[in-house]
Amino acid sequence: MRKLMATGVVPGVRDTGRQVFPLAALQQLQTRPAADLTVLGAPEVAVLRSDAPAKVEEPDREWIGFGAGLDEAQLLASLSGWWRCDPARVAAGGVLPVTVAGFVVAVLTGLTEWEADGTVGTAGRYRFTQARLAGYLSDLTAPVNAADPADPQDARLAGLLLGTRLASVSGGPIAYVTTSPTTDTADQPTATEGE
């Protein structure tokens, strides 16, 4: 909840010595559907697990992370790199959902070109130089794309993903999630059935 509050995507959060998360917003978020990744047409998709915005002093961006108060140019710069990742694997998915606390708050496309930071001997960091901000949210409780993408495919992907739940696990900001539903547990009994 703290990450969601810090990004500004939940309206009505109050900070009066202690932060108060509106009950109505919590109830709305509990009913959010899971992202349907089967429609993406790739075996896996990379997910950028973002944090609240933080100021940085870098030549190509002034922020890192996601924040509803950032404009589109700032968001694109803050989300399109520099990440430790396998850039070809990210590009193969065709889309990079950006999540905060497991909710998709932004969607990047145009991931076909990247550059490395020049780090030698370690897992380098990469930036996607042609990335496009297909969509982002300013209010997670009423998920409407705040961007106006020119590409109809970008608009479609943003419409499918924004505001949905997308669980991912990673030791860093980039996670890789399979797009096909798991079937190996569907036929196994649950604990109550097996007892």
Side-chain angles (χ1 to χ4, degrees), residues 146-179:
D148 187 18
D151 185 305
Q153 177 67 358
D154 284 0
R156 183 183 81 80
L157 289 170
L160 290 171
L161 296 170
L162 286 173
T164 61
R165 291 176 181 260
L166 180 50
S168 60
V169 178
S170 173
I174 298 288
Y176 301 95
V177 177
T178 182
T179 58

Side-chain angles (χ1 to χ4, degrees), residues 97-112:
V98 178
T99 62
V100 172
F103 292 95
V104 179
V105 295
V107 176
L108 295 179
T109 58
L111 307 167
T112 56

Side-chain angles (χ1 to χ4, degrees), residues 5 15 61 96 106 110 148 162:
M5 292 191 287
D15 193 353
R61 62 182 175 180
L96 183 64
D148 187 18
L162 286 173

Side-chain angles (χ1 to χ4, degrees), residues 86-159:
D86 178 341
R89 197 171 169 191
V90 172
V95 63
L96 183 64
V98 178
T99 62
V100 172
F103 292 95
V104 179
V105 295
V107 176
L108 295 179
T109 58
L111 307 167
T112 56
E113 296 180 25
W114 56 85
E115 66 182 358
D117 68 354
T119 305
V120 178
T122 63
R125 297 173 188 259
Y126 296 88
R127 177 174 71 132
F128 293 88
T129 58
Q130 300 300 313
R132 297 185 304 272
L133 188 61
Y136 68 98
L137 297 177
S138 59
D139 180 349
L140 185 57
T141 63
V144 175
N145 191 351
D148 187 18
D151 185 305
Q153 177 67 358
D154 284 0
R156 183 183 81 80
L157 289 170

